[in-house]
Structure formats: C-alpha cells, structure tokens
Amino acid sequence: MLSERFEDPRPLDQAGWGEVQRVAHELLPLAAADLRYCSPAPRSRATGEGLGYAPLVQLALRDCDMGRWRGLTLGEAMAREPEAVDAWLADPRSTPHGGESLLDFIGRVGNWLDTRPAEDGCRVVAVAEPSVIRAALVYALKAPPGTYWNIDVRSLSTISVAGRPGRWSLRLESVSAQPLSA
C-alpha cells in the first residue's frame, strides 16, 4: 500500500497492458456477467475495456477523495504531514487531508454495492482500484473500518461477494475443478 498513489490519475502503462494481456484469457469469462462496471479511473476503464468487458463507468466506484494528498503515496504524505497521517490512520472519521473520511468512503462503496440487482443468478463485475475493493470487502463483511488496512488486493485479482443488501458474504472460488485427493 505504501506505493499506491491516492486517486492516481495515471493511465495504464505498457507494463500494465502486458499484465492485462497475460491474464485476459483467465478473466474473459467474467465478461459474461449481466452487468459490468468500472471506476472512473483511467487504469480501471482501460483494464475493463482491455478485458473485453465494455464496462459502464460508476462514479460511486471512484477512489477515496484524498483532498490535498491526491496523487501522493502514503509514504509521501507521511513525509509531509506525519501527524495528519497518523490521525487519519487512527480515526476512520478523520479528514486531515480535506477530503473524504475512510468511514464515508466505505459507506459510499457499500451503498453502491447494496443497489446492485439481487435477483438469483444476476452476476455483476466491477473493475476498480485496490482501495475500492478493500472498502467493498470491509462493508460486505461488516468488519470494523480498521480492517481496511489489513486487506491486500493485488492488481488483476478477482474477489467475489455473494448475497443481497445487508447480507453479503465473501466467496472464495476453487482454482481447479479437479477434486483434491487426501
């Protein structure tokens, strides 16, 4: 997380395109989802398009508003304003950067999740930054906001939540359809 940039406006670079192309065959089945979304960030939009999802941009899936820390890494913000960063990390309601609190961010992403169709069999795909996925998981699991800092989301990874508003669960998929032998 130290190298992630807050509200990173940079486009998908050549290395990123290479990663998308390398795993596209594995993620292509997700394009069959009933609804496909992405955050407004250039890298998320490009990734969704590059995977063939033709996603709809959802403003609710934007990164946390980091105010004057926008574009900085956590390490850079710590070097400039160590006390403010400490306050922000300690209190999910704080906004020393002048932007959105962690609690508000988690709530915004969770509200979006709760408005997705809940019909049986309706599949939704969202391509978003790691911070958005962490917020969705904290909300879905009804975990304390501090849990956000303990979730590591890797680029081009998939995470599934199943359920309906107020009753979400994390679903871990099997990598192989082969039964395990004991």
Side-chain angles (χ1 to χ4, degrees), residues 92-118:
R93 293 174 298 277
S94 71
T95 58
H97 44 61
E100 186 175 29
S101 73
L102 181 62
L103 206 54
D104 288 342
F105 174 51
I106 292 168
R108 171 172 45 86
V109 173
N111 287 335
W112 177 85
L113 184 63
D114 280 347
T115 62
R116 297 310 91 206

Side-chain angles (χ1 to χ4, degrees), residues 101-167:
S101 73
L102 181 62
L103 206 54
D104 288 342
F105 174 51
I106 292 168
R108 171 172 45 86
V109 173
N111 287 335
W112 177 85
L113 184 63
D114 280 347
T115 62
R116 297 310 91 206
E119 299 93 37
D120 284 340
C122 183
R123 291 183 37 208
V124 176
V125 169
V127 179
E129 291 74 24
S131 61
V132 174
I133 304 305
R134 283 193 297 272
L137 289 173
V138 169
Y139 182 85
L141 296 174
K142 298 179 183 172
T147 306
Y148 177 90
W149 305 115
N150 301 105
I151 300 172
D152 184 20
V153 178
R154 306 236 183 228
S155 295
L156 296 169
S157 60
T158 61
I159 297 176
S160 299
V161 292
R164 61 182 187 277
R167 278 193 68 155

